[in-house]
């Protein structure tokens, strides 16, 4: 029986490519016929770049721009450092389109349908009921009934994003850097993307939004006053520009268990605090590792894969959570920035600590 990959984001497409190349003839299901433009910072880390190369997906051919530096704005003067290796800036529409094309070219069968609920061995969709040989749950930010992720935070975090095009001055200011602006209650990440666009993405606690009366434009205005460097970037956002948002991101979630035949991938396997810019890398790595485990051991391999993957991501997820916590709080942030200025090698070390490594069991089918 064909395995079913549920969700054609980075995790699902990576799994579908490896399954198809391994002769497992997967079905790749997504509710959208055209890949959307998922709310995301749009920064692809050097680990993501390597994963894409391994999958044969040409991100630079899709228009990605090279990103070679981190520019960090915290509580004192900005800190700038070279990334350990170059990353890329690319919209999720462009990335997901390239991945989906690669999965179909490898032999995955595309199916457009909306999954309603999932149980081990069974998926109910709008079109009917399926009992595939194995399920690869890759619905990402969206939980499917039957497989909820626990909500961990007292003050949940929401993501929001605005994409600006045709603003040469903002493109010049950002240059080849990914910018991180950290402030009490959240952070903003800014990076250039294909076709001259600039992506401004934020993760903020709901209490911050409540303080702005629930109005995202008012929140931007408050942040601009309190963080002048961020304010200079936000000045480029037109007053009526649509700001997209997504609620209650379960940062820190790691799936440690699953049933036989049910592989959890991507954000359904682990959610790393997004300021690390490593979520897509985790998604691709999980897809490659789960498909490889299935090709080696069949549906029964799922529980062992999930435990092993949970151990693999524990360090980067913990490191990213710690970095965010330190940079958010003024008293810790000021000390951390002084230390980072004294010992410049600490910054690349911190950037590497929040990457997911790639041991041989991930890639060997
Ligand atoms: C604010 C914010 C900023 C971020 N910035 C970055 C960044 O700069 N760099 C980075 O690497 N990561 C970043 N991330 C993380 C990254 O976006 C995720 O980790 C990544 O998208 C996970 O990929 P995925 O394939 O698991 O899920 P998704 O990308 O969410 O894809 C899921 C797919 O499943 C489909 N789907 C969902 N439900 C159903 C259903 N019921 N039936 C059928 N199909 C369904 C969707 O249509 C979609 O195509 C950020 C996250 C947030 C919240």
């Amino acid at each position: 029986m064909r395995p079913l990959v549920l969700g054609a984001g980075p995790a699902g497409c990576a799994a579908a490519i490896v399954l198809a190349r391994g002769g497992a003839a997967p079905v790749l299901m997504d509710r959208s016929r055209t890949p959307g433009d998922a709310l995301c910072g749009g920064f692809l880390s050097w680990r993501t770049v390597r994963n894409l190369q391994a999958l044969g997906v040409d991100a630079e051919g899709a228009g990605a721009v090279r990103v070679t530096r981190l520019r960090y704005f915290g509580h004192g003067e900005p800190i700038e450092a070279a990334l350990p290796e170059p990353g890329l800036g690319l919209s999720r529409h462009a990335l997901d389109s390239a991945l989906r094309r690669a999965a179909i070219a490898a032999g995955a069968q595309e199916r457009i349908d909306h999954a309603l609920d999932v149980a081990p061995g069974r998926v109910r969709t709008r079109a009917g009921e399926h009992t595939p040989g194995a399920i690869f749950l890759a619905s990402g930010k969206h939980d499917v009934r039957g497989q909820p992720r626990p909500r961990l935070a007292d003050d949940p975090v929401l993501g929001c994003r605005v994409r600006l095009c045709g603003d040469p001055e903002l493109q010049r200011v950002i240059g080849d850097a990914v910018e991180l602006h950290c402030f009490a209650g959240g952070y903003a990440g800014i990076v250039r993307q294909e076709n001259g666009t600039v992506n401004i993405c934020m993760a903020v606690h709901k209490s911050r939004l409540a303080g702005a009366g629930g109005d995202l434009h008012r929140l931007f205005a408050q942040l601009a006053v309190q963080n002048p460097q961020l304010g200079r970037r936000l000045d480029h956002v037109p007053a009526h520009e649509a700001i997209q948002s997504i609620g209650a991101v379960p940062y820190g979630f790691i799936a440690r268990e699953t049933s036989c035949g049910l592989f959890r991938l991507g954000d359904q396997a682990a959610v790393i605090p997004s300021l690390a810019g490593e979520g897509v890398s985790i998604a691709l790595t999980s897809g490659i590792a789960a498909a490889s485990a299935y090709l080696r051991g069949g549906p029964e391999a799922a529980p062992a894969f999930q435990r092993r993957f949970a151990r693999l991501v524990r360090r980067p997820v913990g490191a990213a959570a710690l970095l965010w916590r330190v940079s958010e709080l003024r008293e810790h942030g000021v000390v951390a920035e002084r230390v980072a200025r004294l010992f410049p090698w600490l910054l690349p070390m911190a950037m590497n600590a929040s990457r997911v490594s790639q041991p041989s069991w991930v890639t060997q089918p």
Side-chain angles (χ1 to χ4, degrees):
M1 264 186 299
R2 291 178 147 211
L4 174 72
V5 182
L6 200 175
C13 287
I17 291 169
V18 175
L19 288 169
R21 287 187 187 151
V27 172
L28 177 60
M29 179 189 289
D30 202 281
R31 58 190 179 177
S32 310
R33 186 167 298 281
T34 313
D37 193 17
L39 194 152
C40 184
F43 168 70
L44 306 181
S45 78
W46 49 103
R47 297 275 183 184
T48 304
V49 173
R50 274 195 233 160
N51 275 320
L52 290 171
Q53 284 163 351
L55 291 165
V57 173
D58 179 12
E60 288 184 78
V65 298
R66 262 168 84 86
V67 181
T68 61
R69 312 187 64 72
L70 168 71
R71 197 173 298 130
Y72 175 88
F73 299 85
H75 305 278
E77 286 299 304
I79 302 176
E80 195 155 327
L83 297 178
E85 291 171 48
L88 294 171
L90 186 65
S91 76
R92 286 296 303 278
H93 171 68
L95 175 69
D96 291 16
S97 301
L99 279 162
R100 203 189 288 197
R101 274 195 305 273
I104 293 166
Q109 186 190 91
E110 186 183 38
R111 184 174 298 162
I112 307 305
D113 197 356
H114 191 132
L116 299 174
D117 58 70
V118 173
R122 188 187 59 81
V123 177
R124 196 167 62 82
T125 68
R126 287 214 172 125
E129 178 132 342
H130 307 268
T131 51
I135 301 165
F136 291 80
L137 181 63
S139 60
K141 297 172 175 67
H142 306 276
D143 286 346
V144 181
R145 209 180 307 142
Q147 303 298 326
R149 294 167 299 174
R151 303 288 143 187
L152 306 166
D154 298 335
D155 184 5
V157 175
L158 69 93
C160 54
R161 188 265 305 275
V162 61
R163 166 94 40 74
L164 301 177
C165 53
D167 190 328
E169 174 55 17
L170 185 59
Q171 288 171 47
R172 191 194 58 74
V173 169
I174 305 302
D176 65 348
V178 54
E179 289 196 351
L180 267 185
H181 298 254
C182 291
F183 47 82
Y187 83 91
I190 309 181
V191 73
R192 283 168 59 226
Q193 309 204 305
E194 76 277 11
N195 299 332
T197 56
V198 176
N199 202 53
I200 304 181
C201 193
M202 289 189 198
V204 284
H205 287 284
K206 282 213 165 145
S207 54
R208 283 268 359 201
L209 182 61
D215 181 328
L216 284 167
H217 278 283
R218 197 179 301 160
L219 173 68
F220 275 28
Q222 287 180 356
L223 290 172
V225 171
Q226 291 155 7
N227 308 276
Q229 295 276 17
L230 177 59
R232 264 171 227 139
R233 278 77 176 159
L234 293 179
D235 279 349
H236 292 259
V237 180
H240 300 294
E241 186 75 29
I243 305 175
Q244 295 167 300
S245 65
I246 175 173
V249 185
Y251 288 131
F253 164 77
I254 297 179
R256 294 187 164 80
E257 289 169 14
T258 189
S259 319
C260 280
L262 179 62
F263 297 80
R264 300 185 68 111
L265 315 180
D267 279 3
Q268 291 291 321
V271 186
I272 189 166
S274 46
L275 89 164
E278 190 65 355
V280 173
S281 167
I282 289 186
L284 296 173
T285 306
S286 68
I288 295 168
S292 303
Y294 174 84
L295 293 172
R296 278 194 305 267
E300 284 72 31
F305 153 76
Q306 213 70 60
R307 284 193 295 274
R308 221 170 181 189
F309 194 73
R311 285 197 296 275
L312 183 71
V313 294
R314 200 170 45 197
R315 180 186 47 79
V317 170
L322 181 68
L323 288 172
W324 193 14
R325 185 112 196 88
V326 168
S327 55
E328 250 190 323
L329 297 173
R330 189 175 166 75
E331 59 274 28
H332 296 152
V334 169
V335 175
E337 284 168 31
R338 268 194 211 130
V339 175
R341 267 182 247 280
L342 280 174
F343 305 104
W345 45 268
L346 273 174
L347 215 51
M349 206 171 107
M351 290 190 244
N352 273 326
S354 50
R355 300 307 119 190
V356 62
S357 61
Q358 201 115 99
S360 58
W361 63 266
V362 167
T363 47
Q364 275 168 13

